[in-house]
Amino acid sequence: MSTSLAWDERYASGDFQFGEAPNDYLRAQSWRLPPGGRALCVGDGEGRNGVFLAGLGLSVTTIDWSPVGVEKARALAARRGVALDARVADAAAWDYPEAAFDLIAWIYLHLPPAERAAAAAGCLRALRPGGLLVLECFSPAQEGRRSGGPKLPELLWSRAIAESLFAPLEVMEVTEGAVRLDEGPRHQGLAEVVRGVWRRP
Ligand SMILES: C[S@@+](CC[C@H](N)C(=O)[O-])C[C@H]1O[C@@H](n2cnc3c(N)ncnc32)[C@H](O)[C@@H]1O
């Protein structure tokens, strides 16, 4: 089982485990994003996605349960000269504010089923009407591949899981399939993912 301590140890190595550039899929959604809105990144690790969104002019809050990751996120934001409200928090237990965010980025956050459902419910509550949720996570076909992802199969996403957890949202697009990852030392090569964009009506 992955723990915050395990993530602290990974992040303490000094390198950015997923690179400093944002996730490609999140970047590709930039055209949809509201200028100057509020964004939340759940499980944002070392902050690459939160810092990217802050650079676009969004007011960004990030949560991650690894204090070492959050410290690196703050340092990356300072280095890039952007404001980032980076907090240490468990995504499954955070007190998600009601209708607070125009965008939620859920990028490679893999949780056990009960915690995943709790975090998804929190994200639904936290989205403003018209707000977008962007997700990219590994799918079951990733099992056994060396290009990244959790070891426990129950942590993997599927299109069906996403459609079920985000059922109250409008689907803008959702796919499950192969992509080529080039994101730091931990995400390299052909990978099987679910990615999608949902909108709160
Ligand atoms: C694969 S990394 C992805 C980090 C970041 N989203 C990115 O794409 O660069 C997964 C992250 O989820 C975080 N995480 C795992 N379980 C968590 C939980 N229950 N609450 C908050 N963060 C969690 C880990 O600490 C880690 O930073």
Side-chain angles (χ1 to χ4, degrees):
M1 175 65 64
S2 191
T3 62
S4 57
L5 203 61
W7 280 105
D8 275 346
E9 283 170 9
R10 287 169 197 143
Y11 289 147
S13 78
D15 292 336
F16 276 69
Q17 298 297 306
F18 306 98
E20 295 184 15
N23 170 258
D24 278 347
Y25 185 63
L26 179 63
R27 180 173 21 210
Q29 303 308 318
S30 301
W31 64 274
R32 296 186 196 267
L33 306 183
R38 284 190 71 194
L40 171 68
C41 299
V42 289
D44 199 39
E46 299 154 303
R48 63 185 179 125
N49 297 311
V51 165
F52 164 70
L53 293 172
L56 294 183
L58 289 142
S59 170
V60 183
T61 299
T62 65
I63 58 171
D64 198 284
W65 68 356
S66 161
V68 176
V70 169
E71 213 36 66
K72 287 175 82 173
R74 289 176 183 146
L76 181 61
R79 192 147 41 89
R80 296 273 175 83
V82 297
L84 189 73
D85 177 14
R87 305 184 190 187
V88 177
D90 182 345
W94 196 50
D95 187 13
Y96 287 80
E98 178 87 33
F101 297 104
D102 303 287
L103 170 71
I104 296 180
W106 184 313
I107 307 295
Y108 291 113
L109 171 62
H110 300 97
L111 303 171
E115 285 82 357
R116 179 170 63 214
C123 288
L124 292 189
R125 185 167 63 248
L127 266 187
R128 284 193 180 131
L132 300 177
L133 188 146
V134 178
L135 176 138
E136 182 171 291
C137 285
F138 290 111
S139 71
Q142 180 66 10
E143 223 185 310
R145 284 187 181 270
R146 300 167 69 92
S147 47
K151 299 225 164 21
L152 292 176
E154 63 263 33
L155 271 59
L156 294 164
W157 280 75
S158 65
R159 180 178 169 153
I161 290 173
E163 285 176 346
S164 160
L165 290 178
F166 303 138
L169 304 180
E170 185 186 343
V171 181
M172 311 299 284
E173 60 178 52
V174 57
T175 58
E176 183 169 336
V179 297
R180 188 160 288 282
L181 293 181
D182 181 12
E183 312 191 296
R186 285 195 173 265
H187 283 176
Q188 282 296 328
L190 200 62
E192 297 285 342
V193 305
V194 181
R195 42 168 56 162
V197 181
W198 289 260
R199 180 180 173 276
R200 181 166 171 186

